[in-house]
Amino acid sequence: MSERVYNFSAGPAVLPEAVLAEAQRDLMALPGVGASVLEISHRSADFSAILAQTTADLRTLLNVPSGYQVLFLQGGSRLQFSMVPMNLLGEHGQTADYVLTGSWGKKALEEARREGKTQVAWDGAETGYDRLPSDEALALSDDAAYVHITTNETIEGVQFATEPEVGDRPLVADMSSDFLSRPIPVDRYGLIYACAQKNAGPAGVTVVIVRDDLLARAPDGLPGMLLYRNHAENNSCYNTPPTFGIYLVGLVAKWLLHEQGGLDGIDQRNRDKAALLYRVIDESNGFYRGHARPADRSLMNVTFRLPDADLEAQFLRQAKEHQLHALKGHRSVGGIRASIYNAMPPEGVDRLSSFMQEFAAQHGS
Amino acid sequence: MSERVYNFSAGPAVLPEAVLAEAQRDLMALPGVGASVLEISHRSADFSAILAQTTADLRTLLNVPSGYQVLFLQGGSRLQFSMVPMNLLGEHGQTADYVLTGSWGKKALEEARREGKTQVAWDGAETGYDRLPSDEALALSDDAAYVHITTNETIEGVQFATEPEVGDRPLVADMSSDFLSRPIPVDRYGLIYACAQKNAGPAGVTVVIVRDDLLARAPDGLPGMLLYRNHAENNSCYNTPPTFGIYLVGLVAKWLLHEQGGLDGIDQRNRDKAALLYRVIDESNGFYRGHARPADRSLMNVTFRLPDADLEAQFLRQAKEHQLHALKGHRSVGGIRASIYNAMPPEGVDRLSSFMQEFAAQHGS
C-alpha cells in the first residue's frame, strides 16, 4: 500500500484507517454474499441488513428518540438548503428564521429565499463571522416555521457548543461538519441534516434526522424525490439510495461505537486535538492569528492567518514536506485551515503542532 | 477473497472484476497521492485530474460532439424525472411529449405532470408494454418542448434499437439501463440522462449529457442544485460531487476503451449474450415465454415467465444453487429477469442458458 499522509482536507476528508481497511478487504465480495457491496440490489436481503444496522447504530450513537426518522439521501447539504424550506415552510405563509454565523448559513438562506418567506434572526457579518450570537441577540419571529442554524461553519471555524434557545419553534440544523463528532440532544431539534464527507463517510450520502410531525407539513405537488415523507415511508429506498456510501457510514458508526467509546469518547479526543492546536496559536505571540473568537472556536476546523501571504505560502509548502496535506484555507477567505475531524489521528495533530511551533520559531519576529 | 457468484441484479448490478480489483488495490491510498480517493477534496488537483479524464473518456467512448456538456449529478433518474421538465419546459407554456414504453417512462411522466403541461405521445399499456411504437404511431405536439423516451425499460425488457423520428423537437432520453452498452448518435438527442448503477458504475452518480442551447431554457428561481446550468458552469463541482462514484465511472470507461474495444466491442458482446438467452426461450416449445415482442427485445434485461408461479420459485431456488443469483423479476410484474449488462461475463450467460435448458428438459411437458 502507498504511504498515507496526514490529510487535513475540509471535506471530502480523512476516513478511519480501520474503515478503509475493512472496505478494501471486502470490495470484491462481501463475506457470504458473493458480490461486492457496490453490486447488490438496494432491495436485497444483504443490503437491507446493512441499511438496518447502519440506522440502528446511528440511533444508538446519537440516542435518537422514538418519533424521529433517520434518512439517507443524496444531493449533499446544498440540496437540503432547498428541501428544508420546500418541506417545512408549508403553505401557511409562515416565516423561516435564519441565524447566519458563516458562509454556509448564508448559502442556506439564499436557497430558502426562493421557496418562501424568510427572516435573518442574526447575522455575524459585522465582525467577519468570528463569533456566535447570545440567545438574547436572536430576533426570532413569533410564528417561525423553523429556526435554521449551522452548528459548525467550516470556512470561518466557529461552532455552537450548545443549542440556542428558540422556544417551541422547531430548530433545524445543518450539522454537516460536526455530525457524529460529539453527543447532541436530538430532542432539541426538529430536523438535522449532514452530508457525510466530514465525519461520517464519503461524499454522496446525506443523513437527515427528522421529527415525525414535521413530515406532514410539506405541500402537495413537490417533486417526489424532494419530499422527506416519500423517503421516510420507503425507508430511504424511495429510489436507489447511495448504497456504498451508506455501507461506509455503517462502518464509521461501528468504529465509533466499538473502537472509540461512542460519541463521548470521540468528543474527548476531538477536544484534546483542538486544544493542542489552539494552544500553539495562543502561545505564538501573535505569529498565528486565529479567526474565531476563542469562546466560539470550532473543534473541527482550526482557521488562522500568518503575518503575510508569503509566509502562508511557505507554511503550506513546508507542511507538505512533513506529510501535512490540504491545509490551505477556503478559497473565499484564504489563510490556513486545519480540519481535524474524528478520523484525523492524534499523531497527525501532534505533528502539525510541532511543525507550527518550529515554523513560528524560525519566522517569528 | 470470497468466491464471486454470477449476479443478474437489475441494478445496482455487477461491475467488471478488473474495475473492482483496481479500486480495491488503491482504496487505502491512490498511487502518489497518499490518501484514498474517498478522502480527497473534490477541488484538489488529484481529483480534478480524475474528473477530467473520466469526462474525456466518456466523450471519446460516446463520440460526444462539441456543443454538449457531460455532467455528473446525484439523485438518480428519479431526480432527473423532475429536473428535465423543471429545466426544459421553461415558462412559455409549451408541452412535453412522453412516449410510454414501460414502468419507468410512466414514472417520469408522473413527475413531469407536477411541473407543467404534458402529453402522452404513445402508450403501450394495451399490450402490457411488450412493444415499441412505430414512428407513425407517435402523436407528437407541434411545439413540443421535448419528446421523452426511455431507451430501455428494465422491468418489461423492451429497448429502442434506434431513435424514434421526432423532427426538430429535442429528444430527451432516460438511458439509465443501456447507457454505454452500445454506440449512440448523441447528436440525435437534446439531453440524455443515466444513473450509473447498471452499466456505468455504482449507485449515487447520474450522468447527464445536455446540448448547450437547452441549458438556457430554465426559468429563474429554480433551486440551485436543480439547475443544469449551475452544474455545467461549475464543471460538476457546484457542490461536492459523488467523488468515489465518478472515480468508478472513470475506471469503467477506461475498461471499455482499453479492454473491450470501446462501445462497438461491448455492443457485439452484449448482442451475443442476449441472443444466447433468447434462443433458449424461443426453442423451449413455450416452456419459457418471453415478455417482449421479439423485434423489441432488450439486450440488457431478458424477461420471461415459466408455466406457473411454483415452477418460477423452483427455478430461482435451483438457479441459486448453480451460483446464478438475483434472477427474480421486478416485484411489480413477477416472473424471471436476467439482467446481462456490460459487466456480466459471457461465462455467466453460458451457465444460465445451460441451466435453463436443463430445467426446461426436466419440467417441460
Side-chain angles (χ1 to χ4, degrees):
Chain A
M1 130 187 146
S2 305
E3 201 193 342
R4 284 169 58 80
V5 299
Y6 291 114
N7 171 20
F8 292 90
S9 170
V14 59
L15 286 162
E17 276 204 26
V19 164
L20 289 173
E22 181 168 344
Q24 181 177 44
R25 185 193 71 197
D26 295 341
L27 202 73
M28 288 297 268
L30 283 171
V33 174
S36 172
V37 66
L38 288 157
E39 302 173 301
I40 57 175
S41 168
H42 55 299
R43 301 197 191 278
S44 65
D46 296 311
F47 184 75
S48 297
I50 290 170
L51 179 59
Q53 188 65 52
T54 302
T55 307
D57 284 351
L58 287 184
R59 294 192 84 104
T60 302
L61 276 169
L62 288 157
N63 198 15
V64 177
S66 66
Y68 283 79
Q69 303 292 321
V70 176
L71 309 177
F72 299 94
L73 307 183
Q74 296 186 56
S77 297
R78 277 281 175 120
L79 192 53
Q80 293 308 306
F81 294 170
S82 298
M83 283 180 70
V84 164
M86 288 169 109
N87 281 267
L88 301 193
L89 263 176
E91 286 170 324
H92 311 295
Q94 277 181 286
T95 301
D97 287 354
Y98 278 72
V99 180
L100 306 185
T101 55
S103 303
W104 293 109
K106 283 163 67 183
K107 287 185 198 293
L109 172 64
E110 195 183 308
E111 292 297 340
R113 282 187 168 140
R114 302 187 211 278
E115 306 303 333
K117 226 163 80 186
T118 60
Q119 196 244 142
V120 175
W122 188 81
D123 187 348
E126 204 176 305
T127 59
Y129 298 109
D130 69 345
R131 67 191 62 193
L132 297 168
S134 64
D135 284 345
E136 296 69 41
L138 296 178
L140 301 175
S141 306
D142 286 340
D143 70 334
Y146 60 87
V147 181
H148 183 280
I149 62 170
T150 311
T151 50
N152 181 66
E153 284 281 359
T154 54
I155 294 177
E156 289 82 5
V158 295
Q159 183 181 24
F160 280 94
T162 56
E163 290 69 31
E165 181 51 57
V166 297
D168 56 6
R169 302 166 188 87
L171 183 62
V172 171
D174 176 356
M175 219 173 266
S176 292
S177 51
D178 60 2
F179 184 65
L180 297 185
S181 73
R182 59 180 179 181
I184 47 161
V186 172
D187 60 3
R188 293 285 303 272
Y189 295 87
L191 188 149
I192 290 165
Y193 62 92
C195 58
Q197 67 264 21
K198 317 290 187 178
N199 283 299
V205 54
T206 305
V207 180
V208 171
I209 302 176
V210 55
R211 216 171 60 203
D212 284 340
D213 63 291
L214 297 179
L215 291 172
R217 279 205 197 172
D220 290 336
L222 285 190
M225 273 295 286
L226 303 186
L227 194 60
Y228 289 125
R229 208 156 52 224
N230 280 342
H231 296 285
E233 286 170 358
N234 292 279
N235 191 26
S236 300
C237 289
Y238 173 69
N239 74 328
T240 310
T243 48
F244 186 70
I246 294 170
Y247 161 76
L248 279 185
V249 170
L251 295 186
V252 169
K254 194 173 69 166
W255 174 79
L256 284 169
L257 263 180
H258 303 298
E259 295 183 45
Q260 301 298 311
L263 298 189
D264 285 319
I266 201 74
D267 185 31
Q268 191 53 56
R269 279 179 73 173
N270 287 332
R271 286 176 189 280
D272 293 345
K273 290 188 295 183
L276 196 57
L277 295 184
Y278 285 122
R279 194 176 320 128
V280 173
I281 290 172
D282 292 340
E283 294 176 354
S284 72
N285 293 318
F287 182 78
Y288 298 115
R289 286 169 293 118
H291 178 76
R293 194 168 68 161
D296 299 326
R297 281 169 165 172
S298 167
L299 303 180
M300 299 282 103
N301 312 95
V302 178
T303 57
F304 56 97
R305 308 293 311 230
L306 271 64
D308 60 56
D310 282 351
L311 277 170
E312 286 172 353
Q314 203 176 328
F315 179 94
L316 290 170
R317 271 197 312 277
Q318 289 190 19
K320 207 159 177 185
E321 289 162 15
H322 288 73
Q323 309 300 308
L324 302 164
H325 284 221
L327 283 161
K328 198 172 175 178
H330 190 270
R331 60 210 155 98
S332 65
V333 297
I336 311 294
R337 171 172 56 177
S339 297
I340 50 174
Y341 300 123
N342 287 352
M344 170 56 64
E347 298 73 29
V349 175
D350 287 344
R351 191 186 289 192
L352 175 58
S353 79
S354 301
F355 168 72
M356 285 173 69
Q357 287 171 317
E358 286 158 28
F359 192 89
Q362 277 168 29
H363 299 279
S365 53
Chain B
M1 135 184 141
S2 305
E3 201 192 342
R4 283 170 59 82
V5 300
Y6 291 114
N7 171 19
F8 292 89
S9 171
V14 59
L15 286 162
E17 276 204 25
V19 164
L20 289 174
E22 182 170 342
Q24 181 177 44
R25 186 194 69 197
D26 295 341
L27 202 73
M28 288 297 269
L30 284 171
V33 174
S36 172
V37 66
L38 288 158
E39 302 173 301
I40 58 176
S41 169
H42 55 298
R43 301 197 191 278
S44 65
D46 296 310
F47 184 75
S48 297
I50 289 170
L51 179 60
Q53 188 64 51
T54 302
T55 306
D57 284 351
L58 287 183
R59 294 193 85 103
T60 301
L61 276 169
L62 288 157
N63 198 15
V64 177
S66 66
Y68 284 79
Q69 303 293 321
V70 176
L71 310 177
F72 299 94
L73 308 184
Q74 297 186 55
S77 297
R78 278 282 173 119
L79 191 55
Q80 294 309 305
F81 294 171
S82 298
M83 282 180 71
V84 163
M86 287 171 110
N87 280 266
L88 301 193
L89 263 176
E91 286 169 323
H92 312 295
Q94 277 181 287
T95 301
D97 287 355
Y98 277 73
V99 181
L100 306 185
T101 56
S103 304
W104 292 109
K106 283 163 67 184
K107 287 185 198 292
L109 172 63
E110 195 182 307
E111 292 295 340
R113 281 187 168 140
R114 301 187 212 277
E115 307 302 334
K117 226 163 80 187
T118 60
Q119 195 243 144
V120 174
W122 189 81
D123 187 348
E126 204 176 304
T127 60
Y129 299 108
D130 68 346
R131 66 193 61 194
L132 298 168
S134 64
D135 284 345
E136 296 70 41
L138 296 178
L140 302 175
S141 306
D142 287 339
D143 70 335
Y146 61 87
V147 181
H148 183 281
I149 63 170
T150 310
T151 50
N152 181 68
E153 284 281 1
T154 53
I155 293 177
E156 290 82 5
V158 296
Q159 183 181 25
F160 280 94
T162 57
E163 289 69 31
E165 180 51 56
V166 297
D168 55 7
R169 301 167 188 86
L171 184 60
V172 172
D174 176 357
M175 218 173 264
S176 293
S177 52
D178 59 2
F179 184 65
L180 298 184
S181 74
R182 58 180 180 182
I184 48 160
V186 173
D187 60 2
R188 293 285 303 273
Y189 295 88
L191 188 148
I192 290 165
Y193 62 90
C195 59
Q197 68 264 23
K198 318 289 188 179
N199 283 298
V205 54
T206 306
V207 181
V208 171
I209 302 177
V210 55
R211 216 172 60 206
D212 284 339
D213 63 292
L214 297 179
L215 291 174
R217 279 205 197 171
D220 290 334
L222 285 188
M225 273 295 287
L226 303 186
L227 194 61
Y228 289 126
R229 209 156 52 225
N230 280 343
H231 297 285
E233 286 171 358
N234 291 281
N235 190 29
S236 299
C237 290
Y238 173 69
N239 73 329
T240 310
T243 49
F244 186 70
I246 294 170
Y247 161 76
L248 278 185
V249 170
L251 295 186
V252 169
K254 193 173 72 166
W255 174 79
L256 285 169
L257 263 180
H258 303 298
E259 296 182 44
Q260 302 297 311
L263 298 189
D264 287 318
I266 201 75
D267 185 31
Q268 191 53 57
R269 280 179 74 172
N270 286 333
R271 285 176 189 281
D272 293 345
K273 289 187 298 184
L276 196 57
L277 295 184
Y278 285 122
R279 195 177 318 127
V280 173
I281 290 172
D282 291 341
E283 293 177 354
S284 72
N285 294 318
F287 182 77
Y288 299 115
R289 288 169 291 117
H291 177 76
R293 195 169 68 162
D296 300 325
R297 281 169 165 171
S298 168
L299 303 180
M300 300 283 103
N301 312 94
V302 178
T303 56
F304 55 96
R305 308 294 309 230
L306 270 65
D308 60 55
D310 282 351
L311 277 170
E312 287 173 351
Q314 202 175 329
F315 179 95
L316 291 170
R317 272 198 310 276
Q318 289 189 20
K320 206 159 177 187
E321 290 162 13
H322 288 72
Q323 308 301 306
L324 302 164
H325 284 222
L327 283 160
K328 196 169 177 181
H330 190 269
R331 60 212 155 97
S332 64
V333 297
I336 311 292
R337 170 171 58 176
S339 296
I340 51 173
Y341 301 122
N342 287 351
M344 170 55 64
E347 298 73 31
V349 176
D350 286 346
R351 190 185 291 193
L352 174 59
S353 80
S354 301
F355 169 71
M356 285 172 68
Q357 287 171 318
E358 288 159 27
F359 192 88
Q362 278 168 29
H363 299 279
S365 56

